[in-house]
C-alpha cells in the first residue's frame, strides 16, 4: 500500500512545503500533495507556491502568531533555496 510519505516523496516539495499549501488551501495533505505536484510542473507554479507561503506568513502575523510566521519563513527560505525559479519576477 502506498503511504502518505510515499506520495509526498513523489512531489518536488518537502513535507513542510506541502503542509503550507494544505494550510493555505484548506486541504488534506494528500490533496495538497497532488496540487503541489501539479503546480510545480506548471508555468509560474513555483511562483504561486511562493505567493501562497508568503500569504500564510502574512496571515499568521495578522493573527499575532509570530511563532508560526517564523516557522513558515523557514519553509519559504528552504523552498526558495531548492527552487530559485520561484522568486517573484523570474521567468
Amino acid at each position: 500500500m502506498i503511504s502518505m510519505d510515499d506520495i509526498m516523496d513523489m512531489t518536488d516539495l518537502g513535507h513542510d512545503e506541502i503542509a503550507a499549501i494544505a494550510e493555505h488551501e484548506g486541504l488534506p495533505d494528500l490533496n495538497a500533495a497532488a496540487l503541489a505536484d501539479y503546480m510545480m510542473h506548471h508555468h509560474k507554479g513555483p511562483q504561486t507556491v511562493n505567493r501562497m507561503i508568503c500569504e500564510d506568513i502574512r496571515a499568521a502575523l495578522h493573527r499575532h502568531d509570530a511563532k508560526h510566521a517564523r516557522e513558515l519563513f523557514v519553509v519559504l527560505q528552504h523552498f526558495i533555496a531548492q527552487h530559485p525559479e520561484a522568486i517573484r519576477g523570474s521567468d
Side-chain angles (χ1 to χ4, degrees), residues 1-90:
M1 182 168 180
I2 296 176
S3 71
M4 188 62 200
D5 286 336
D6 294 330
I7 292 169
M8 288 184 159
D9 289 342
M10 288 187 247
T11 70
D12 289 340
L13 300 177
H15 294 262
D16 292 337
E17 294 154 336
I18 291 171
I21 292 170
E23 175 184 338
H24 186 271
E25 295 297 307
L27 295 172
D29 286 346
L30 176 63
N31 296 46
L35 178 60
D37 187 55
Y38 169 78
M39 285 192 305
M40 291 305 292
H41 292 94
H42 191 269
H43 181 67
K44 302 274 186 181
Q47 292 175 359
T48 301
V49 173
N50 178 342
R51 181 184 49 76
M52 289 174 155
I53 297 171
C54 287
E55 288 174 0
D56 287 347
I57 292 169
R58 209 171 293 117
L61 291 172
H62 285 291
R63 290 191 311 271
H64 304 289
D65 188 352
K67 180 181 182 282
H68 189 55
R70 280 191 297 273
E71 293 167 350
L72 288 168
F73 184 70
V74 171
V75 171
L76 180 64
Q77 287 178 312
H78 180 264
F79 176 69
I80 290 173
Q82 297 297 310
H83 303 281
E85 71 277 13
I87 296 171
R88 293 178 183 183
S90 66

